[in-house]
Amino acid sequence: MSRIGNKHIVVPSDVTVTISGEVISVKGPKGSLDVLMNKGITAHLDGTDLYFTRANEQKQTKQNHGTTRANVNNAVIGVSKGFTKVLEMKGIGYKATLEGKNVVINAGYSHPVTIEPMEGVVISLPNATDIQVEGINKQAVGQTAALIRGVRPPEPYLGKGIRYKDEHVVTKEGKRAGAAG
């Protein structure tokens, strides 16, 4: 039984949801998104409640039930509030600058690395070592943030690198000096 798929989505008053065949269109104050429904799943809009039913009890249909509901819920949250990921850079000389929409990262390499954001994603820099990724599509925001983090992931000895603001990096103890062998 899909527990996520059976939960209802409460649509906020400033968001409109339109169901047309296999596509659910969600419009809100921040923009609009279209979500494709998976096979065997039907959506029902009852006032401000949006819920999903499945055609059969096959394993794949049950999995699609929860996935479809989660994707539509992310679209509703995205067009009403939006999504934000904040990354921080730790290390001597690590900094980021903006060139148009692209972010240019200096992270200890001999060359700067340029990251182009996905469509609908906006990158801003509150300061030289913090990078803020914002947008209405959760997948695009997360993917762009992951591309930025992938330039220089945090290393386990000194903790240098690019990490999410709330990420905890477990540091290892280095080699012990003067150990008698």
Side-chain angles (χ1 to χ4, degrees):
M1 173 169 95
S2 171
R3 295 183 182 149
I4 298 294
N6 289 330
K7 290 178 72 175
H8 291 225
I9 298 173
V10 179
V11 180
S13 59
D14 58 348
V15 175
T16 58
V17 176
T18 309
I19 303 167
S20 58
E22 302 264 324
V23 177
I24 297 178
S25 299
V26 183
K27 291 183 181 144
K30 293 204 174 255
S32 64
L33 290 171
D34 291 335
V35 180
L36 207 63
M37 283 197 298
N38 291 318
K39 272 187 170 177
I41 308 299
T42 53
H44 309 280
L45 186 60
D46 184 25
T48 61
D49 276 0
L50 181 63
Y51 61 96
F52 301 90
T53 56
R54 58 180 176 251
N56 54 45
E57 296 297 314
Q58 292 177 350
K59 183 176 181 180
Q60 186 63 49
T61 307
K62 288 180 181 182
Q63 293 169 350
N64 289 346
H65 190 201
T67 301
T68 302
R69 189 259 179 210
N71 288 341
V72 173
N73 188 46
N74 287 339
V76 169
I77 293 170
V79 298
S80 60
K81 298 176 187 168
F83 293 101
T84 303
K85 292 249 185 198
V86 180
L87 297 106
E88 60 184 355
M89 302 172 74
K90 292 203 176 193
I92 296 174
Y94 288 17
K95 66 177 184 169
T97 56
L98 282 176
E99 283 185 5
K101 290 183 174 182
N102 300 341
V103 64
V104 178
I105 300 170
N106 292 317
Y109 295 118
S110 61
H111 60 283
V113 179
T114 304
I115 300 290
E116 184 178 340
M118 295 180 78
E119 186 178 336
V121 175
V122 177
I123 297 175
S124 60
L125 303 174
N127 58 48
T129 59
D130 286 350
I131 303 168
Q132 190 168 353
V133 183
E134 296 176 295
I136 61 173
N137 187 343
K138 186 175 186 178
Q139 191 275 332
V141 169
Q143 183 66 39
T144 303
L147 288 173
I148 293 171
R149 184 183 181 274
V151 169
R152 178 75 79 175
E155 54 96 13
Y157 293 101
L158 297 176
K160 296 189 333 183
I162 303 172
R163 66 178 80 190
Y164 296 111
K165 193 76 164 178
D166 55 355
E167 183 178 2
H168 175 70
V169 177
V170 178
T171 55
K172 296 180 182 178
E173 183 179 345
K175 292 183 181 178
R176 292 185 171 228

